[in-house]
Amino acid sequence: MTFNFKKLLNIKEIFQMLTEVKSSEERYQKLRRNMRILMIGLTIFPLSMMAVINYHQYQRSLREEIITPEKVLANKTRHSFEFFLKERLSLIKSISYFYSYEQLSDKETLNHILYTLKKEFSGFVDLGLINGTDGHQLCYVGPYTLEGKNYAEQSWFQELMLRGTYFSDVFMGYRKFPHIAIAVQRLEKTGHSWIVRTTIDTKMFDNLIAAMGLDADGDAFVINKEGIFQTDSRLYGKVLERCPLKISNAGYATYVDERKDPNGKDIVITYTHLTYPEYTLVIVKSRSTVLKTWYALKSDLFLVFLISSILIIIVVFRLTRTMVYRIKVADQNRESAFRELQHQHKLSSIGRLAAGVAHEINNPMAIINEKAGLIKDIIEYTPDFAQKDKFLPLVMSIVNSVDRCRTITHRLLGFAKRMEVEIEHLDVNELLKEVLGFLEKEIFFRNIDVSLELAENLSAIDSDRGQLQQVFLNILNNAMAAIEDKGRIIITTWEKNINGVAVSIQDNGCGMSEETCHKIFEPFFTTKKEYGTGLGLPITYGIVKKLGGDIEVKSKEHEGTTFNIFLPKNQFLKNGAS
Amino acid sequence: MKILLVDDEQEFVTALAERLTLRDMDASVATDGEMALALIDTDPPDVVVLDIMMPGMNGLDVLERIKSIHPGIPVILLTARGATKDGIQGAKLGAFDYLIKPIDIDELIQKLNEAI
C-alpha cells in the first residue's frame, strides 16, 4: 500500500504514462488500472478521513449528551436516598435529645413515640432503649420481645460506640420484609450513655427507585460495600443476594461504565456512592436503549459512506473505461493516419523517382530497340543472309531484353501515374468476369480451377472501371503465380454493408510468412526475384485507397492467400471514410 | 503510305524510318519542330509520328501548328514519360493516339493503319 501510494503520488510518471504512445493492450490495462487506483484513492481517501473524523466527533459529543442525563438521574436518586436516611437518623437523634433517659425507659412513653413516628413517618417498625455501657436492652416496643437482650458483643454495638450513629445493612426483619436498623448513642454530661435503636422497613427504597421511571429493560438497585443487594434488582437478583456485577467502591463521583453483564448483554452502568451509609446506587440500562440515537446516526454515517463509495467506484470504473477507450481509439487513428501518410508519401516520392528514371531509360532503350529491330529486319529481309541462324537469335535476345525493360519501365510509369479517376456505375461481378476473360488462356493451359461464388443481386457501385480491372488483374496474377498447375482460385463477392461491397480472391498456393504478409504493400518488395518489380501490389493498394476502399491480406504458408477488397458504393463516401 | 517521323533522337528516328522503309512505307525524318512543319508544308504526309519531348518547340506545340494548318493529317504522339497528362493534352489538341517508348514496331504499324 505504501509502495502504491509512493507510485501514485508521482504525478510526473502518471502523466508520462497517460501521454505515452504505445498501443499494446497491456499498456491500456495498466493505464486503466492506474487511473482507477488514482481516482478512487483521491476520492475515497478524503471521504474516509471525513467519515472517521465525523464518527469520532459525533461519538464524543453525542456520548456526553447521552450520558449527562443518566448521571443527573443517578445523582438525584442518590440525594433522595441520603435525604430519606438522614431524615430518619435526625428523628432518632432528636428523640434521644428531647426525651430523658427516664422518660424513654418508660414503656408507655416509648410506645407513644413509636405510635407517633408510625403515624407521621412511614416505615418505623420498633423502637428500643439500650444501656450504652453494658449493651443491655432496657426498654423495647415493637413486634418482638427483645427486652433484656444484650448487644454488647455485637459488631454494630462496637461501631456505634465508635461513631455515635449506626446504620445497619438490610436484613430480613419482621414479617420477612427487608429492614434496616438505625441506632444513636446519647452521652450525658454525667458520663451516663444510652442508645436509641429503631428498625425501619425499606419499602421506601423501592418507591425511590420506582420514582426514577425507568424503561422496561432498565434496572436500578442499591448494594452495600460487600456487593449485597439492599433492594430487589429486576434483572440480577433479590435483596440480600450477591450482585453479579462488579462495582468499584472507590470514588465519590458518579460514574458511567459500558460493559457486558453476566448474561452477555451490552449494558451501560451508572453508579454513585452514598456518603453514609456506604451504599452504592446502581442504574443499569441496555446499551442499545441508551445509545439508540448514536447507533442511528452511526448507521446513517456508514450508509452515506457506503453509498458514496459505491457511486464513486461505479463512476470511476465507467469513466476510466470510456476514457481509456477514447485514448485507445485516438491512438489507433493517429497511428493509422500516420502509417497511411507515410505510405502515401513513400508512394508519391517513389512515383516521381520512377517516372524520372523511366523517362531517362526509355529514350536510350528506344534507340537500342530500334537499332536491334533494324538488325533483325535486315537479317530477315535479306535473302540468304550469311550466318542468319547465328545472328537472328542474338538479335532476338536483345529485342526480348528490351521488351523486358519496357515492361518494367511501363510499370514504373504506371505506378507514377496520377490519372484522373473516371467514375462510372458498374457491376463488380461483371467486371470480375471481364478480368477473368483476359486470363482465360493461362487458366486453360495451366488447368486452374477458378470457382466463382458471386452474390446475386450485388449492388452496382460507382467506381473506376479501368483501375479496378488493374486491381483484380494484379491480384489474380499474384494468385496464379502462387499456385501450382491445377491449383484453385475462389472468387467471392458479397454485400459488405449498406455502404459497400466486398470481393475476396482466395488461392491455395504457397502462401506467405507473416513477415512477408506485412511487407507486400511496400513498394519494391518482391518475392519473384528477377521478374517482379515490387510495384504490383503497392499500385493495387494505392488504387483501392484512391477509390475509397480498403484491402487486406490473410495468408498462411503452404495453405494459400486470401485478399479481401472492400469498395464503397458511392465515391462521395470516400472522403467521409478517409 | 507516307509517314513523317519527328524526334530529336536522330539515332532512334533514322533506325525507325529505315525499318518502316523495309516494310514498304515511305518514311521521312525530321529532327525538330521547324523542320517537321517545313516538310509538312512542302510535302504533306498521310500521318505524322511526333515525339512530345523535344528541345525548342516541343511536340504539343508542333501538334497544335499541324492541326491548325492541316487538320486532316492524323498525328500519333510518342512519349518516354508515359505521363498521361501529355496524352490527355495531346488528345485535346486532336492527336489520334499516343505510344510510350520504347515502341513495338508491330503496334506502331497497327496504329498507323488505324489512323489512315
Side-chain angles (χ1 to χ4, degrees), chain A residues 362-363 369 371 377 406 413, chain B residues 11 19 23 81 102-103:
Chain A
N362 271 351
N363 274 323
N369 191 39
K371 296 285 181 196
D377 286 355
R406 186 168 66 160
L413 290 169
Chain B
E11 294 287 336
R19 293 188 77 188
R23 286 169 175 75
R81 289 201 300 189
I103 54 168

Side-chain angles (χ1 to χ4, degrees), chain A residues 268-411:
Chain A
V268 176
I269 297 176
T270 315
Y271 61 95
T272 179
H273 302 292
L274 274 66
T275 40
Y276 185 68
E278 287 171 79
Y279 288 167
T280 306
L281 172 71
V282 182
I283 303 171
V284 177
K285 282 187 176 178
S286 96
R287 202 180 136 132
S288 55
T289 319
V290 179
L291 299 174
K292 201 160 59 190
T293 22
W294 165 237
Y295 285 144
L297 186 75
K298 204 161 79 168
S299 63
D300 282 355
L301 270 176
F302 182 69
L303 204 70
V304 167
F305 176 73
L306 198 73
I307 290 172
S308 323
S309 303
I310 289 170
L311 277 176
I312 286 169
I313 288 168
I314 291 172
V315 168
V316 164
F317 267 70
R318 286 182 166 251
L319 207 67
T320 47
R321 199 173 52 195
T322 319
M323 273 169 75
V324 171
Y325 177 74
R326 296 238 170 114
I327 290 172
K328 198 169 149 183
V329 169
D331 280 357
Q332 279 170 352
N333 285 347
R334 184 166 45 173
E335 225 173 299
S336 72
F338 182 69
R339 233 180 305 153
E340 188 90 338
L341 196 71
Q342 214 178 19
H343 194 89
Q344 291 293 344
H345 187 73
K346 219 169 178 179
L347 284 184
S348 74
S349 45
I350 287 163
R352 258 172 300 171
L353 180 73
V357 170
H359 175 234
E360 291 309 315
I361 288 172
N362 271 351
N363 274 323
M365 203 57 83
I367 296 167
I368 297 170
N369 191 39
E370 294 320 317
K371 296 285 181 196
L374 183 59
I375 295 168
K376 191 186 123 212
D377 286 355
I378 290 165
I379 294 167
E380 275 178 346
Y381 282 86
T382 312
D384 308 321
F385 186 83
Q387 291 186 308
K388 180 178 182 174
D389 292 342
K390 190 167 182 195
F391 279 102
L392 199 57
L394 289 175
V395 142
M396 279 314 285
S397 166
I398 298 173
V399 171
N400 288 341
S401 297
V402 170
D403 226 33
R404 248 169 74 186
C405 287
R406 186 168 66 160
T407 315
I408 294 167
T409 52
H410 280 198
R411 269 211 206 143

Side-chain angles (χ1 to χ4, degrees), chain A residues 109-125:
Chain A
T109 317
L110 206 60
N111 215 354
H112 177 72
I113 294 168
L114 180 63
Y115 173 76
T116 316
L117 284 174
K118 271 183 174 172
K119 208 174 127 194
E120 295 302 322
F121 302 92
S122 58
F124 285 91
V125 175

Side-chain angles (χ1 to χ4, degrees), chain A residues 169-185:
Chain A
D169 285 341
V170 171
F171 59 92
M172 278 304 169
Y174 180 59
R175 290 185 197 147
K176 294 287 164 208
F177 275 110
H179 287 79
I180 54 166
I182 303 170
V184 174
Q185 187 192 29

Side-chain angles (χ1 to χ4, degrees), chain B residues 28-108:
Chain B
S28 44
V29 169
T31 49
D32 60 54
E34 279 84 12
M35 189 177 166
L37 289 170
L39 278 173
I40 290 167
D41 278 343
T42 51
D43 185 12
D46 296 324
V47 56
V48 178
V49 176
L50 179 61
D51 186 31
I52 294 177
M53 286 279 282
M54 282 193 297
M57 196 188 219
N58 80 22
L60 292 175
D61 299 335
V62 178
L63 171 66
E64 218 174 338
R65 292 279 293 275
I66 295 171
K67 282 293 155 186
S68 63
I69 306 162
H70 306 281
I73 298 174
V75 177
I76 294 170
L77 293 173
L78 291 183
T79 171
R81 289 201 300 189
T84 335
K85 213 164 64 187
D86 292 346
I88 292 166
Q89 182 74 15
K92 274 188 190 159
L93 293 172
F96 175 75
D97 208 339
Y98 78 95
L99 290 169
I100 301 169
K101 285 192 203 172
I103 54 168
D104 181 23
I105 187 94
D106 297 327
E107 202 183 341
L108 177 65

Side-chain angles (χ1 to χ4, degrees), chain B residues 1 8 12 15 22 26 40 56 63 68 74 86 106 114:
Chain B
M1 197 197 301
D8 59 314
F12 167 75
L22 274 173
D26 180 2
I40 290 167
L63 171 66
S68 63
D86 292 346
D106 297 327
E114 280 171 21

